[in-house]
């Protein structure tokens, strides 16, 4: 796929970005000197064809490299991806020419009472051959429609996958190998799944998980934090806290494993100030530069 | 490269395993939306997905209906979102497209007894929400000479798709404006005062996009009927005959200034 290779050169591992949310729109545009290298926007927030959104998007794309992150495509949906949704997604990507395009390894489209619907959430796949076939089929379709590579991201699942025929990381690795898609590794999601289903052994679980992936396929890392819960309860993927200590520690290991990946701070709920968000990006950049220095010495 | 044209997997998968995966996925979706137990997913996992759905739906309404949320409060919006999910399912993958039936849900709720105008406030705010997201086509001024060159029976005016007209027994536009401008400083009783000042009328509003922002203005009955006629594709001669009170030259100038018109259509 020639279009894929054209975009490979455009992102490097020293890039640190932040996820842009509505409350920070004005500050992001007003900022003249940037402490972030790129912004990641949620695709669906920019689907509107008119009003202020296209104007804002133009201004934003003139000021920052953008990454487009879908939250609704449901690449693992057995029902397929809604063509109208895919058209809107492609239109947006063509308008912005982003440095990266990504969505999740989950399903979103389904039926209820014989009516088609969108679940509005990232729902878990069963990690088996049938789900893999569906996923690679949909990824192929999207990559052909876009004419470029997409990245797929691991999700938090509240369902126990320990008895699935494949492990999640193996499943994602297969999808990357069979489609040429890239991988977006959300380290917080790996840790949350580990804490929910592999308590007491989370760090080792997470490291093994990362080591299962083909290093060259990993092109982006998400860093985040989640709210604490009472013992015995499942941790919810709310991305509402600063990056956790465990996540920073895993990041240090991930940098060595995936030297080609860009880094993004993702904070979705209970949003901090724009300045605070940039502090998180500064911390990521500091860890990255320390690691690079260590490798040079 | 164009997007595929059908909602089926790229290479059709017909295996039994694929059908089972489809059934499994639909069972989970059904469990989440209808609180059934078809999927075999444990209750504690299912309840998280159900709570996520409710929270996301409520957040979506608070974005699409910011003034209504100021008027009724977050808790009421949360409950309305739950009820709306039973009426109207999200289908497009963009939560901004979901919520058109909120007015109807309010009309069937306890709120309608004491605050019967709220359903129409919701309808006005949904029209504003849609208007603010629609693409606007710049009016083609080169079509203006057609008005003198072509028989009005062969001319129609195409309005911007972002324009909508509404009627209500309540003065919803001034009420909506009061609450929007005050950022939640006014309580519902002040809206009632506006109703008392404007009672015994039917009220009309036009919603449109101007300079990239949605706007709502009050209009009178004649302007409403005229706009409705234009929207329904009545030709200009019929419009002028039906609504002789409309000063067409003045209306046209105002319509162009407000970006209401997309183009003037004639057979040639």
């Amino acid at each position: 796929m020639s279009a894929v290779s054209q975009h490979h050169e455009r992102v490097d591992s020293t890039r640190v970005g932040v996820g842009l949310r509505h409350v920070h729109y004005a500050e992001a545009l007003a900022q003249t000197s940037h402490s972030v290298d790129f912004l990641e926007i949620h695709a669906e927030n920019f689907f509107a064809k008119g009003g202020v959104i296209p104007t804002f998007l133009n201004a934003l794309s003139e000021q920052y490299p953008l990454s487009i992150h879908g939250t609704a495509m449901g690449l693992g949906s057995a029902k397929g991806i809604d063509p109208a949704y895919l058209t809107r997604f492609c239109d947006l990507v063509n308008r912005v020419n982003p440095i990266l395009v990504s969505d999740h390894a989950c399903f979103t489209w389904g039926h209820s009472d014989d009516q088609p619907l969108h679940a509005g959430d990232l729902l878990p796949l069963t990690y088996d051959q049938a789900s893999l076939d569906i996923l690679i089929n949909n990824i192929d379709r999207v990559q052909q429609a876009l004419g470029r590579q997409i990245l797929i991201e691991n999700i938090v699942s509240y369902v126990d996958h320990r008895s699935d025929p494949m492990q999640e990381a193996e499943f994602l690795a297969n999808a990357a190998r069979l489609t040429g898609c890239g991988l977006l590794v959300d380290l917080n999601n790996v840790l949350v799944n580990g804490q929910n289903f592999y308590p007491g052994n989370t760090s080792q679980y997470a490291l093994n998980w990362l080591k299962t992936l083909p290093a060259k396929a990993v092109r982006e890392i998400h860093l985040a934090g989640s709210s604490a819960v009472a013992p015995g309860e499942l941790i919810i993927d709310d991305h509402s806290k600063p990056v956790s200590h465990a996540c920073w520690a895993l990041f240090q290991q991930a940098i060595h494993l995936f030297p080609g990946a860009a880094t993004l701070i993702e904070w979705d709920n209970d949003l901090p100030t724009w300045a605070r968000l940039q502090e998180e990006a500064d911390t990521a950049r500091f860890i990255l530069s320390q690691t690079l220095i260590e490798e040079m010495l | 490269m164009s997007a595929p044209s059908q909602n089926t997997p790229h290479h059709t998968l017909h295996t039994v395993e694929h059908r089972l995966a489809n059934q499994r996925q639909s069972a989970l979706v059904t469990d989440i939306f209808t609180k059934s137990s078809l999927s075999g997913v444990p209750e504690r996992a299912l309840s998280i997905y159900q709570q996520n759905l409710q929270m996301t739906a409520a957040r979506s309404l608070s974005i699409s209906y910011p003034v209504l949320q100021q008027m009724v409060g977050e808790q009421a919006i949360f409950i309305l979102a739950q009820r709306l999910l039973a009426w109207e399912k999200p289908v497009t993958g963009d939560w901004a497209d979901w919520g058109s039936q909120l007015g109807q849900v309010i009309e069937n709720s306890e709120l309608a007894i004491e605050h019967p105008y709220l359903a129409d406030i919701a309808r006005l705010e949904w029209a504003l929400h849609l208007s603010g997201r629609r693409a606007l086509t710049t009016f083609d001024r080169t079509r203006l000479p057609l008005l003198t060159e072509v028989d009005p029976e062969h001319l129609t005016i195409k309005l911007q798709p972002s324009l909508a007209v509404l009627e209500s027994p309540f003065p919803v536009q001034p009420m909506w404006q009061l609450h929007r401008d005050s950022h939640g400083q006014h309580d519902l009783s002040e809206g009632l005062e506006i109703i008392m000042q404007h009672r015994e009328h039917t009220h009309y509003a036009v919603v449109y996009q101007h300079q990239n922002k949605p706007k709502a203005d009050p209009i009178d009955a004649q302007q409403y009927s005229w706009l409705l006629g234009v929207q329904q594709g009545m030709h200009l001669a019929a419009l002028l005959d039906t609504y002789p009170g409309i000063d067409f030259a003045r209306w046209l100038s105002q319509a162009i200034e407000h970006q209401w018109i997309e183009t003037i259509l004639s057979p040639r």
Side-chain angles (χ1 to χ4, degrees):
Chain A
M1 195 184 300
S2 60
V4 171
S5 60
Q6 287 171 17
H7 293 273
H8 270 162
E9 285 72 49
R10 299 185 52 196
V11 185
D12 65 64
S13 58
T14 60
R15 283 192 191 239
V16 178
V18 297
L20 182 66
R21 303 294 174 261
H22 186 261
V23 295
H24 299 137
Y25 282 2
E27 284 166 292
L29 267 193
Q31 193 159 343
T32 49
S33 64
H34 298 153
S35 64
V36 295
D37 302 315
F38 71 102
L39 297 179
E40 190 156 282
I41 59 171
H42 282 176
E44 298 77 13
N45 292 345
F46 293 87
F47 274 179
K49 293 275 188 185
V52 293
I53 288 175
T55 311
F56 172 71
L57 185 61
N58 285 343
L60 205 60
S61 62
E62 282 172 15
Q63 208 164 322
Y64 294 89
L66 296 179
S67 162
I68 292 184
H69 188 50
T71 63
M73 193 180 284
L75 285 160
S77 301
K79 190 177 171 292
I81 297 165
D82 177 61
Y85 174 91
L86 188 51
T87 300
R88 292 166 94 181
F89 193 93
C90 290
D91 286 350
L92 178 66
V93 171
N94 291 336
R95 257 187 288 159
V96 172
N97 192 22
I99 55 169
L100 294 168
V101 179
S102 55
D103 207 302
H104 301 83
C106 67
F107 81 94
T108 55
W109 307 97
H111 279 92
S112 179
D113 298 332
D114 290 329
Q115 298 295 313
L117 58 76
H118 188 274
D121 202 349
L122 310 173
L123 300 180
L125 305 174
T126 302
Y127 300 125
D128 61 10
Q129 190 60 46
S131 298
L132 183 63
D133 289 344
I134 292 163
L135 180 68
I136 63 177
N137 205 36
N138 288 331
I139 291 172
D140 269 349
R141 182 179 164 202
V142 173
Q143 291 191 142
Q144 287 191 34
L146 289 171
R148 60 179 289 169
Q149 184 193 48
I150 61 168
L151 317 184
I152 56 169
E153 181 181 2
N154 57 304
I155 64 163
V156 164
S157 172
Y158 306 108
V159 175
D160 189 347
H161 293 277
R162 281 176 288 190
S163 57
D164 285 4
M166 281 180 238
Q167 291 304 298
E168 183 190 22
E170 177 193 2
F171 182 84
L172 296 173
N174 283 335
R177 182 173 54 80
L178 293 166
T179 64
C181 77
L183 297 174
L184 191 175
V185 177
D186 188 312
L187 297 181
N188 182 62
N189 290 355
V190 178
L191 288 165
V192 168
N193 284 337
Q195 285 160 347
N196 282 340
F197 296 106
Y198 300 86
N201 196 19
T202 304
S203 304
Q204 193 55 49
Y205 162 82
L207 188 58
N208 290 344
W209 195 100
L210 298 182
K211 284 180 174 173
T212 307
L213 301 178
K216 281 188 180 168
V218 179
R219 304 203 47 222
E220 186 177 352
I221 293 169
H222 275 183
L223 302 173
S226 297
S227 302
V229 293
E233 285 185 18
L234 292 173
I235 300 169
I236 312 286
D237 168 32
D238 58 7
H239 285 190
S240 65
K241 297 286 171 198
V243 178
S244 65
H245 293 301
C247 196
W248 285 126
L250 191 59
F251 178 53
Q252 285 177 305
Q253 293 172 304
I255 294 167
H256 291 290
L257 291 168
F258 313 125
T263 302
L264 185 100
I265 305 295
E266 198 176 44
W267 199 322
D268 296 325
N269 294 298
D270 296 335
L271 292 165
T273 62
W274 178 240
R276 177 75 188 84
L277 196 59
Q278 289 178 92
E279 282 173 21
E280 293 283 279
D282 289 340
T283 304
R285 198 189 312 284
F286 176 75
I287 293 171
L288 271 167
S289 59
Q290 290 296 106
T291 307
L292 281 175
I293 291 166
E294 281 170 25
E295 283 180 356
M296 285 164 63
L297 293 176
Chain B
M1 210 178 296
S2 63
S5 59
Q6 51 183 352
N7 188 18
T8 53
H10 190 57
H11 310 291
T12 311
L13 300 168
H14 286 306
T15 62
V16 174
E17 289 79 11
H18 176 248
R19 277 202 301 279
L20 288 174
N22 201 357
Q23 285 169 11
R24 198 169 54 212
Q25 291 186 358
S26 283
L28 177 54
V29 167
T30 303
D31 283 355
I32 293 167
F33 277 81
T34 66
K35 303 199 172 169
S36 53
S37 313
L38 304 171
S39 64
V41 167
E43 183 56 37
R44 71 171 186 163
L46 207 49
S47 69
I48 292 172
Y49 292 119
Q50 286 162 344
Q51 282 165 29
N52 278 353
L53 176 65
Q54 288 165 5
M55 297 295 289
T56 309
R59 189 166 54 222
S60 166
L61 288 189
S62 74
I63 293 167
S64 304
Y65 294 91
V67 173
L68 187 79
Q69 168 151 308
Q70 279 177 24
M71 295 173 81
V72 302
E74 254 179 64
Q75 273 190 314
I77 285 288
F78 185 82
I79 294 163
L80 289 169
Q82 278 182 278
R83 292 184 188 175
L84 184 58
L85 280 170
W87 280 62
E88 180 188 349
K89 303 278 190 284
V91 290
T92 68
D94 181 359
W95 277 102
D97 300 328
W98 176 80
S100 65
Q101 301 302 306
L102 183 62
Q104 210 171 336
V105 169
I106 292 173
E107 218 160 61
N108 288 287
S109 76
E110 308 85 326
L111 284 168
I113 298 162
E114 281 194 41
H115 306 288
Y117 52 87
L118 280 176
D120 281 349
I121 294 270
R123 291 186 182 104
L124 174 74
E125 194 150 42
W126 182 253
L128 283 156
H129 170 71
L130 289 185
S131 179
R133 296 172 57 81
R134 290 225 160 104
L136 210 64
T137 308
T138 307
F139 174 59
D140 182 2
R141 284 176 183 273
T142 63
R143 310 286 289 175
L144 278 173
L146 292 173
L147 293 170
T148 52
E149 294 165 5
V150 176
D151 184 337
E153 281 193 8
H154 297 123
L155 287 176
T156 53
I157 296 167
K158 189 178 178 199
L159 297 174
Q160 298 282 357
S162 54
L163 184 142
V165 287
L166 294 96
E167 73 172 308
S168 169
F170 307 102
V172 289
Q173 190 282 332
M175 292 173 77
W176 177 86
Q177 196 76 46
L178 172 81
H179 285 275
R180 195 199 68 161
D181 295 346
S182 66
H183 303 289
Q185 299 295 307
H186 292 272
D187 62 29
L188 290 174
S189 64
E190 289 174 79
L192 294 175
E193 280 174 28
I194 296 179
I195 293 177
M196 294 310 288
Q197 288 160 15
H198 295 80
R199 67 185 186 277
E200 294 168 11
H201 290 107
T202 301
H203 301 268
Y204 306 94
V206 57
V207 173
Y208 58 102
Q209 192 188 124
H210 187 238
Q211 294 175 344
N212 289 336
K213 289 185 181 159
K215 278 194 77 175
D217 291 339
I219 51 175
D220 63 28
Q222 189 166 239
Q223 289 170 317
Y224 170 82
S225 301
W226 168 274
L227 278 169
L228 211 55
V230 176
Q231 215 169 34
Q232 287 164 354
M234 282 174 73
H235 60 67
L236 188 55
L239 283 166
L240 293 169
D241 284 348
T242 312
Y243 308 108
I246 290 283
D247 177 345
F248 178 62
R250 196 169 154 211
W251 178 84
L252 184 66
S253 162
Q254 183 194 32
I256 293 170
E257 187 192 328
H258 288 167
Q259 299 178 287
W260 288 356
I261 303 178
E262 190 175 302
T263 191
I264 297 166
L265 299 169
S266 81
R268 70 178 169 114

